[in-house]
Amino acid sequence: MIKIEQDTIQVERKQELVAADEAVANKKFADAQAIKDDCEKELAKAVPALNAATDALNTLKQDDIRVVKAMKNPPSGVKLVSITYQMMTLVMKSAHLNLHSDST
């Protein structure tokens, strides 16, 4: 009977430690979930703009690109669009690679 009481006391102590660890883990989970929710909310705002920009870029023809390449000093708006396109391409490639690396 004494052995059972000692074991019970040890189990209760371990349960308290586990409960404390569980509380810390639950707090970290809640923090991570809040960050995830915020990121998903911001992404939901950005995706339509990205899709619209991609659709607009898809309307460009090869002749349009040739005209810009022929310019020795294109207007600042053309430079801005070109840089933005290059950045979007890099981001999309990076996102594509990250999505596929997460699933493996």
Side-chain angles (χ1 to χ4, degrees):
M1 203 49 133
I2 294 174
K3 176 71 173 147
I4 293 174
E5 289 174 6
Q6 290 174 345
D7 289 346
T8 302
I9 291 172
Q10 287 179 346
V11 167
E12 287 173 354
R13 287 182 188 153
K14 287 183 181 181
Q15 283 178 333
E16 290 173 4
L17 292 174
V18 169
D21 288 346
E22 182 182 18
V24 169
N26 286 338
K27 171 73 171 118
K28 287 182 180 182
F29 174 78
D31 292 345
Q33 187 66 37
I35 292 170
K36 178 184 175 225
D37 292 344
D38 187 45
C39 289
E40 287 177 348
K41 182 176 140 186
E42 293 299 318
L43 182 61
K45 291 179 191 175
V47 167
L50 175 63
N51 291 338
T54 302
D55 291 343
L57 288 171
N58 287 335
T59 64
L60 289 175
K61 297 178 181 85
Q62 189 65 30
D63 288 338
D64 299 330
I65 307 261
R66 280 191 206 114
V67 168
V68 172
K69 283 184 178 180
M71 293 179 184
K72 289 186 180 192
N73 190 14
S76 61
V78 172
K79 289 179 184 178
L80 177 64
V81 169
S82 176
I83 291 169
T84 304
Y85 173 74
Q86 292 170 10
M87 289 174 31
M88 282 179 35
T89 302
L90 290 173
V91 168
M92 291 301 290
K93 285 181 182 178
S94 175
H96 180 72
L97 292 174
N98 288 339
L99 287 175
H100 290 289
S101 67
D102 289 345
S103 62
T104 57

